[in-house]
Amino acid sequence: ASRAKFINSAKSFMSQYGFDGIDIDWEYPKSEPRVNPVKITCEQFRTVNDHGGSSADTQNIIDLFKEMRTGLPGASISLASQANLDKAKDQSVDKIHPYLDYFHLMVYDFTVSDVPGGTMFAPNAPLYNPPAPSPAMSIDYTVQGYLAMGVPAAKLQVGVAYYGHTWFNPSLTSDQWQKFGGKLGQVQGECCGVFKTTTGAKPGKGSGLCGSMMYSEIV
């Protein structure tokens, strides 16, 4: 009943405003519960509670897209889909592709620095797997995995990240910082709020996000 209510609401909205399709952002079935602090200012931030999913969601997402395809005839239906293949399997990618027009592959943030505790230096969105000990994930890893799960190549759209991640570690020599993997960032202490313990470098003036630089800031 709730799926039917959602589909009818989407159909009405699309008809009213002249939309050709709908993109679903379900990140992601079977997720663990977590609490996310979201920065507003250095002194003020709000807490978002993600209650997580359940093992039943791997079937629920199949039922949702199957019913959406029937209930939204002629509409373009797409999914913001996981780059990590284990999580993609939780999204039932191998079962839902007949009902979808596109998968918008979120092939970025394979490694980030703006989290408490930090991570090793590694590419944000590498085309091919970087050398160990960087995480063995890349655009190629994701695309090949989807093809192996039976998703037609024509339904795959690669997301491009117009930003980069930075790390803070002033102890590295010039030859060390130019190599990915094995090196960890340090807390630089000049960020505030929820990013106080990040190992990312100071933010650019546009984004204001520690550990990240927008494309325009990099240029």
Side-chain angles (χ1 to χ4, degrees), residues 181-193:
K183 304 299 180 183
L184 296 175
Q186 300 175 4
V187 176
Q188 42 90 355
E190 294 189 41
C191 287
C192 61

Side-chain angles (χ1 to χ4, degrees), residues 26-100:
W26 187 343
E27 300 181 31
Y28 46 87
K30 293 178 65 176
S31 62
E32 296 295 326
R34 62 182 181 179
V35 176
N36 295 315
V38 180
K39 176 183 174 183
I40 299 176
T41 68
C42 285
E43 292 77 31
Q44 181 185 12
F45 57 91
R46 63 188 177 92
T47 300
V48 177
N49 291 303
D50 180 351
H51 299 290
S54 72
S55 58
D57 286 341
T58 54
Q59 181 60 45
N60 289 338
I61 196 171
I62 299 172
D63 294 337
L64 173 64
F65 281 114
K66 184 176 181 179
E67 293 171 22
M68 284 181 67
R69 177 51 68 197
T70 301
L72 300 172
S76 174
I77 302 174
S78 58
L79 171 70
S81 56
Q82 291 291 332
N84 183 307
L85 294 182
D86 288 336
K87 295 176 181 177
K89 291 174 183 176
D90 286 340
Q91 283 187 312
S92 302
V93 165
D94 59 330
K95 303 289 196 312
I96 62 176
H97 70 82
Y99 311 118
L100 292 174

Side-chain angles (χ1 to χ4, degrees), residues 205-217:
K205 293 181 179 180
S207 64
L209 181 64
C210 287
S212 295
M213 292 286 282
M214 300 191 312
Y215 175 72
S216 58
E217 293 171 336

